[in-house]
């Protein structure tokens, strides 16, 4: 089946997620940090009456450590580094959540991948659905079904 | 019909946390805290509250926050008895008809019992503390 995917960049990598249900793209904003949260959680934010957990996608995927997040991230000037980044609000199995990405690239239509790739090139395999190509650029398509299963 | 609940909002390292007023006994400042080496490191010591020595909890240590213990002390009743909690400041009273929203799944280990939910206060999200779950 062919579907719409939203393409975005994280740590120099081109990634995509299938569009299903409502989606919002917001300029990066500071989330409310929660003490003792998982290390890849930026915090929580409210948007239109719902509370979203905000995941630092690079850290979730194991792509890079861009420095401390959560409570320790807000040293003076720390927010400056995040300017230009975006938060994508998505939903998975009825649970709203946000991911932070370096930039949103575009929408594209792809065949849904059949099989996960043999090599996800450093990205945590549990979130990788498959690989597609667009203008010779390799795009790793993600699925967030297992995002809420910590570990 | 009055279904409003009141919460005390306190600040820790610039973020807001709340305690239900029904658990609050007193807002004071930490003075004459008696150190007690037998207590674990989450305790600053003991404090004379109306003639009774009660443990004083360094909330920032419990929540693994940086910074000094705090210059405000709130006394609360909990299922573990009467406790003193050190905070940076007691900020304001929030009177609201909101029901606390649950902490979203995936944020922290579900076995951690420190929070009772989330409240909105103007532009701020306030984390409601579970006074019964703060001590091991």
């Amino acid at each position: 089946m062919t579907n719409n995917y939203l393409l975005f960049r994280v740590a120099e990598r081109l990634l995509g997620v299938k569009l299903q249900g409502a989606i919002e793209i917001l300029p990066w904003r500071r989330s409310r940090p929660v003490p003792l949260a998982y290390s890849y959680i930026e915090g929580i934010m409210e948007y239109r009456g719902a509370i979203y957990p905000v995941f630092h996608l690079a850290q979730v995927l194991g792509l890079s450590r861009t420095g401390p997040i959560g409570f320790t991230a807000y040293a003076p000037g720390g927010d400056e580094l995040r300017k230009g980044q975006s938060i994508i609000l998505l939903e998975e199995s009825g649970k709203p959540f946000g991911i932070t990405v370096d930039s949103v690239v575009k929408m594209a239509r792809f065949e849904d991948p059949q099989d996960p790739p043999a090599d996800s090139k450093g990205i945590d395999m549990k979130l990788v659905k498959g690989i597609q190509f667009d203008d010779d650029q390799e795009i790793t398509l993600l699925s967030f079904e297992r995002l809420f299963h910590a570990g | 019909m009055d279904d409003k609940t009141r919460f005390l909002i306190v600040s820790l390292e610039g973020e807001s946390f709340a305690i239900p007023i029904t658990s609050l006994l007193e807002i004071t400042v930490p003075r004459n805290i008696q150190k007690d080496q037998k207590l674990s490191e989450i305790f600053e010591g003991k404090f004379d509250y109306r003639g009774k020595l009660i443990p004083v909890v360094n909330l920032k240590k419990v929540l693994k926050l940086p910074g000094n213990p705090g210059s405000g002390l709130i006394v609360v009743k909990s299922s573990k008895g009467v406790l003193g909690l050190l905070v940076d400041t007691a900020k304001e009273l929030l009177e609201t008809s909101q029901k606390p929203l649950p902490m979203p799944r995936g944020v922290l280990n579900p076995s951690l019992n420190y929070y009772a939910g989330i409240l909105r206060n103007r532009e701020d999200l306030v984390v409601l503390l579970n006074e019964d779950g703060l001590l091991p």
Side-chain angles (χ1 to χ4, degrees), chain A residues 26 29-32 43-54 87 89, chain B residues 98 101 104 118-126:
Chain A
L26 309 174
R29 61 180 75 169
R30 183 183 184 280
S31 298
R32 197 283 190 209
I44 52 177
M45 62 174 273
E46 185 187 15
Y47 187 73
R48 295 195 176 154
I51 305 285
Y52 289 75
V54 179
I87 299 179
L89 300 181
Chain B
Q98 308 170 47
L101 295 163
I118 299 160
L119 295 164
R120 298 184 199 95
N121 183 27
R122 297 183 292 271
E123 298 300 297
D124 216 6
L125 289 179
V126 180

Side-chain angles (χ1 to χ4, degrees), chain A residues 69-91:
Chain A
I69 58 172
F71 252 92
T72 48
Y74 303 109
D79 288 4
E80 283 300 310
L81 302 171
R82 310 298 300 273
K83 289 238 171 87
Q85 297 193 358
S86 296
I87 299 179
I88 306 174
L89 300 181
L90 301 162
E91 203 180 283

Side-chain angles (χ1 to χ4, degrees), chain A residues 30 71, chain B residues 11-15 17 60 65-68 88:
Chain A
R30 183 183 184 280
F71 252 92
Chain B
S11 146
L12 291 169
E13 292 300 306
E15 295 293 340
F17 296 82
K60 290 189 196 172
L65 294 177
N68 59 32
D88 286 330

Side-chain angles (χ1 to χ4, degrees), chain A residues 132-147:
Chain A
Q132 278 289 7
F133 288 88
D134 181 57
D135 291 340
D136 286 341
Q137 287 202 83
E138 186 179 291
I139 302 152
T140 305
L141 301 179
L142 303 174
S143 154
F144 292 116
E145 279 158 39
R146 293 172 66 192
L147 184 63

Side-chain angles (χ1 to χ4, degrees), chain A residues 30-38 40-41 43-46 49-53 55 71-72 74 95-96 148-149, chain B residues 12-13 15-17 62-66 101-110 112 114-115 118 120 125-127:
Chain A
R30 183 183 184 280
S31 298
R32 197 283 190 209
V34 177
L36 306 170
Y38 293 121
Y40 49 77
I41 293 286
I44 52 177
M45 62 174 273
E46 185 187 15
I51 305 285
Y52 289 75
F55 292 77
F71 252 92
T72 48
Y74 303 109
K95 293 191 287 283
F148 290 87
H149 301 264
Chain B
L12 291 169
E13 292 300 306
E15 295 293 340
S16 298
F17 296 82
V62 174
L63 301 178
K64 298 201 164 62
L65 294 177
L101 295 163
M103 182 65 74
R105 272 186 59 189
V107 172
L108 72 168
N109 186 327
L112 292 179
Y114 299 114
Y115 310 129
I118 299 160
R120 298 184 199 95
L125 289 179
V126 180
V127 172

Side-chain angles (χ1 to χ4, degrees), chain B residues 39 43-47 52-58 73-74 80-85 135:
Chain B
L39 294 172
F43 296 100
E44 275 298 291
K46 288 183 171 175
F47 158 81
K52 198 170 163 252
L53 279 181
I54 62 162
V56 174
V57 178
N58 182 336
L73 180 63
I74 58 172
K80 306 267 166 72
V82 176
L83 299 175
L85 302 177
L135 295 186

Side-chain angles (χ1 to χ4, degrees), chain A residues 8-16 40 56-67 100-102 119-125 127-128 138-142 144:
Chain A
F8 48 86
R9 270 183 207 284
V10 171
E12 314 289 308
R13 299 281 287 264
L14 195 53
L15 307 169
Y40 49 77
H56 188 281
L57 194 57
Q59 284 208 25
V60 172
L61 299 175
L63 279 178
S64 73
R65 269 197 81 87
T66 51
T100 54
V101 303
D102 293 340
D119 176 11
S120 64
K121 296 179 185 149
I123 298 183
D124 188 344
M125 273 302 272
L127 299 175
V128 175
E138 186 179 291
I139 302 152
T140 305
L141 301 179
L142 303 174
F144 292 116

